[in-house]
Amino acid sequence: MPLPSKLTRLIPCLMAAGLALTALAAPSAAEDRPAKELFGAKRLPAKMATNPYGSYAKGCIAGAVAIPTDGPAWQAMRLSRNRRWGHPQMIALLEQFSQDAQKLGWPGLLLGDISQPRGGPMLNGHASHQVGLDADIWFTPMPDHRLSAEEREKLPFTSMLDKSKFLTVDSRRWTSTHAKLVMKAASYPQVERVFVNPAIKKKLCDTWQGDRSLLGKVRPIYGHDEHFHIRIKCPEGAAGCKPQARVPAGDGCDASLAWWFTKEPWSKPKPKKDDKPVKPWYLTMANLPKACGTVLASASPASEQEVTYQGNGGVSSTALAFSGGGDTPANSIESVIANDTALPAIVPIPIPRPFQ
């Protein structure tokens, strides 16, 4: 049966309207996607002037550079993650730190995660490391040979803790050189914080004989028994970078450390009878600075080599580098990192441990 002529004329209009609505809905659907999927898919940085935007745990970076997989005093690990990108000041600091570490008697640095090519939320493992100003350093010293790609993926972490005791450093693994390494990282003016496990902070408080004013930069946090985390300040002139609150005065060997040795940080929240299951929540582009949309959409450089750090603050197309390609509950960790000055007014001071 033929359709009425008016309806026949109306059908194309309805189809066009439907397509228009679909087109309007598409950007909204993209905005609703987890931002970690969008940033995690980018293999190269934004070809823009270098700038971090937002905060350490809610931001992105334009114009990041890669640290070469191998240097005179470092080797980058877990290459398949493609997370050896950062602000040039961060990469330059790692180069300097690796050389200074060797002067302390440390063979060289094994570099963990820095940032993704354009920063932003990561697919797994971190809530911070989003603006290219954070870097993880393994407590495992660099081996005396160049690691293969497979070794870099599979070499296990080495914990500095005695797992048979509560928050206690393993004296069979921890050495005075480990202590010097952490404190050297804290000594650089641009370094704002060095995150370590509370047991390691306690060990330093008990044993460090050097300049104790630097101990205040060493902050206790969950995990961080297999690596330590260096965070540098927002670079001068980076107006879009949101700084963290200043570290409190003092060495931090006080009630703020003692809190970690109470039950409160480790107790699981008690569920309420009427609590409904909490849906997973992820950062979307709407949660990030507007500039991150531009960073995400920006063109890429022609190659990774073009934006690989060469040394002494520069990048060069002649630099040799390559990149490849366990989830942890990061939100609770990052909430403490972001608010590490907010602690109970009165907490018991732990009994000093004997030197080991």
Side-chain angles (χ1 to χ4, degrees):
M1 179 178 178
L3 293 171
S5 59
K6 288 185 178 179
L7 183 57
T8 303
R9 291 195 300 270
L10 183 60
I11 288 175
C13 295
L14 291 172
M15 292 178 64
L19 290 171
L21 289 172
T22 302
L24 289 173
S28 176
E31 288 178 3
D32 290 340
R33 283 182 64 189
K36 64 181 182 180
E37 295 179 3
L38 303 173
F39 281 94
K42 296 294 183 180
R43 306 307 298 169
L44 290 170
K47 194 173 183 180
M48 301 169 63
T50 302
N51 261 310
Y53 296 103
S55 67
Y56 298 94
K58 192 182 290 186
C60 61
I61 180 172
V65 298
I67 192 165
T69 56
D70 296 284
W74 77 79
Q75 295 189 51
M77 305 298 288
R78 306 299 194 252
L79 301 179
S80 64
R81 296 187 181 197
N82 196 28
R83 295 176 180 176
R84 54 190 180 81
W85 301 84
H87 193 284
Q89 290 186 21
M90 181 80 252
I91 304 304
L93 173 67
L94 293 175
E95 178 189 42
Q96 180 183 352
F97 182 38
S98 69
Q99 296 169 355
D100 293 341
Q102 286 191 328
K103 296 174 184 177
L104 296 173
W106 193 256
L109 303 179
L110 292 184
L111 304 179
D113 291 348
I114 305 172
S115 182
Q116 297 178 136
R118 304 186 189 208
M122 292 184 177
L123 289 170
N124 54 49
H126 301 284
S128 62
H129 291 256
Q130 293 194 27
V131 288
L133 304 177
D134 295 286
D136 289 341
I137 310 296
W138 288 28
F139 277 121
T140 306
M142 188 178 77
D144 60 359
H145 67 282
R146 179 174 293 186
L147 297 169
S148 66
E150 183 178 6
E151 287 176 309
R152 294 170 199 249
E153 296 296 325
K154 295 183 177 180
L155 187 70
F157 297 105
T158 302
S159 174
M160 295 293 105
L161 300 190
D162 184 339
K163 299 293 179 145
S164 67
K165 301 175 183 178
F166 174 67
L167 281 188
T168 303
V169 168
D170 190 337
S171 58
R172 297 167 299 178
R173 293 176 177 171
W174 183 261
T175 68
S176 61
T177 310
H178 284 88
K180 292 176 183 177
L181 189 69
V182 172
M183 296 307 296
K184 183 62 184 178
S187 73
Y188 300 109
Q190 64 269 47
V191 170
E192 190 169 56
R193 283 168 168 79
V194 178
F195 296 108
V196 298
N197 186 273
I200 294 174
K201 169 73 176 188
K202 180 68 168 61
K203 184 71 172 179
L204 291 169
C205 287
D206 289 347
T207 62
W208 184 246
Q209 300 297 318
D211 183 358
R212 295 186 67 86
S213 66
L214 298 174
L215 275 171
K217 287 186 180 182
V218 182
R219 312 301 294 171
I221 191 61
Y222 297 106
H224 292 74
D225 56 311
E226 300 161 336
H227 73 275
F228 59 100
H229 175 158
I230 298 174
R231 173 169 292 173
I232 66 172
K233 301 174 183 178
C234 285
E236 187 175 349
C241 184
K242 184 178 179 180
Q244 193 171 347
R246 289 187 178 183
V247 171
D251 61 11
C253 302
D254 49 23
S256 64
L257 173 61
W259 178 74
W260 289 97
F261 292 81
T262 67
K263 292 181 179 180
E264 185 177 354
W266 315 101
S267 59
K268 295 182 179 179
K270 295 180 180 179
K272 297 178 181 179
K273 291 182 180 180
D274 299 329
D275 278 355
K276 296 180 180 179
V278 179
K279 294 181 179 180
W281 182 85
Y282 304 104
L283 288 172
T284 65
M285 294 305 295
N287 302 125
L288 301 178
K290 290 183 179 180
C292 291
T294 303
V295 171
L296 192 66
S298 177
S300 301
S303 68
E304 183 179 291
Q305 286 72 23
E306 183 181 324
V307 283
T308 296
Y309 181 85
Q310 187 184 25
N312 300 318
V315 294
S316 170
S317 59
T318 61
L320 298 177
F322 63 92
S323 64
D327 217 344
T328 58
N331 288 337
S332 60
I333 295 177
E334 291 304 325
S335 67
V336 177
I337 289 180
N339 301 288
D340 66 1
T341 61
L343 293 167
I346 301 175
V347 292
I349 300 294
I351 299 173
R353 303 180 189 276
F355 284 22
Q356 298 179 17

